[in-house]
Amino acid sequence: CGYYQGIYLSTSGIADNNLIYAISNTGITSWHNATNLTITNNTVFGNGQGITIGGGGYYNGFAGPHDYSIVANNIVYDNTGTGIDEEGTTGTHNQYMNNLSYGNGGNFSLRNGLTHTGTITADPQFANYIRTGGGDYRLKNTSPAIATAAKTYLPTIDLPGATRLQADMGAYKY
């Protein structure tokens, strides 16, 4: 089915330290009343799209737009569509910083004149990349994602629960 999402955020919230792959539509998406999200240190690969920030089809009196969200320190790799994009109604205060976006159908598609900062467009160099899962998605010692994350938004632990000692992008610390 082309409508499956890995993580679907429809209000405010946090999505961090996730490994998301082989989703037919979008790895991490937001819609409806989504706003004020923090999406950090995820590893998103092999999906239809990587991460989508957007709003529409509002409910409970919310009138949008999707605004004041942070998308930082993510590795978005080898997705068929866009790596990180905005769709629907979005505001001018969303921030995109220190993400690695590479090998996607397109790396960014942002609206309202927004730009991304600290972006790396290079192979993340996973220990053993398998597009459909089952690989080792920790970083090789030559990865450009090591020590290049925005410290302000860095979770204190990684996906397996190890303490992050430096600012690495993605779900796994080096």
Side-chain angles (χ1 to χ4, degrees):
C1 176
Y3 297 104
Y4 286 113
Q5 317 293 334
I7 294 176
Y8 192 112
L9 301 159
S10 61
T11 58
S12 60
I14 298 171
D16 64 9
N17 285 333
N18 295 288
L19 181 67
I20 304 163
Y21 61 91
I23 303 297
S24 60
N25 199 321
T26 306
I28 300 174
T29 196
S30 58
W31 200 251
H32 299 296
N33 295 22
T35 192
N36 296 302
L37 299 176
T38 303
I39 300 172
T40 58
N41 288 88
N42 298 286
T43 300
V44 183
F45 64 88
N47 303 296
Q49 291 203 151
I51 298 172
T52 296
I53 294 294
Y58 305 114
Y59 51 87
N60 294 334
F62 182 78
H66 181 147
D67 211 358
Y68 297 97
S69 288
I70 304 293
V71 179
N73 305 337
N74 300 287
I75 296 175
V76 185
Y77 177 66
D78 193 22
N79 296 286
T80 306
T82 306
I84 299 173
D85 77 324
E86 291 188 326
E87 296 181 12
T89 306
T90 57
T92 59
H93 302 97
N94 296 318
Q95 296 180 54
Y96 303 87
M97 65 193 76
N98 298 67
N99 294 288
L100 185 153
S101 185
Y102 184 74
N104 303 295
N107 286 322
F108 282 89
S109 179
L110 305 179
R111 296 175 170 212
N112 304 312
L114 295 179
T115 59
H116 47 90
T117 60
T119 301
I120 295 173
T121 54
D123 187 329
Q125 300 182 30
F126 296 121
N128 179 26
Y129 180 68
I130 300 174
R131 187 175 206 274
T132 56
D136 183 348
Y137 304 101
R138 293 175 296 153
L139 304 172
K140 292 180 183 178
N141 66 355
T142 53
S143 173
I146 296 172
T148 53
K151 293 178 184 174
T152 305
Y153 303 104
L154 195 67
T156 56
I157 60 170
D158 72 352
L159 178 61
T163 302
R164 288 183 183 268
L165 301 175
Q166 63 185 9
D168 301 329
M169 293 180 180
Y172 296 96
K173 72 175 188 77
Y174 170 70

